[in-house]
Amino acid sequence: RRKPDPTIFVHALELGSGAPHEALYVGDSHSADYLGATSARIDCLLIDPDERHDIPPSNRIRHIAEVQQVCQRRCSSVLA
């Protein structure tokens, strides 16, 4: 199987003893990464600096360096 098949993402979580609601996938391909992860019910950040894809703004980052900031922001809102 190949991405975007959601079973790839589910299998990776099973190997790591994780669950979709506990995971965050970061990718740079809308079709392979974003659609695959979201089909598996995994939250996904898409590296899309040119805003080429129609996704929620909260799921778009411009650079991989933004991941830590997004994670901190999401964790603080869950704990609040």
Side-chain angles (χ1 to χ4, degrees):
R1 300 191 188 259
R2 297 177 57 97
K3 294 188 288 184
D5 187 326
T7 59
I8 294 169
F9 298 89
V10 172
H11 182 66
L13 286 174
E14 289 170 350
L15 290 174
S17 300
H21 71 277
E22 299 171 324
L24 175 64
Y25 188 88
V26 180
D28 62 357
S29 168
H30 180 262
S31 59
D33 297 325
Y34 187 82
L35 296 179
T38 56
S39 292
R41 300 182 188 265
I42 299 170
D43 194 15
C44 184
L45 295 177
L46 180 66
I47 302 169
D48 183 26
D50 299 323
E51 300 183 12
R52 295 184 306 148
H53 303 286
D54 184 24
I55 64 170
S58 61
N59 290 8
R60 177 181 290 114
I61 58 176
R62 299 179 79 64
H63 191 275
I64 190 71
E66 295 176 42
V67 172
Q68 183 176 4
Q69 179 184 5
V70 171
C71 288
Q72 289 172 337
R73 188 171 54 245
R74 289 182 180 194
C75 286
S76 65
S77 67
V78 169
L79 298 175

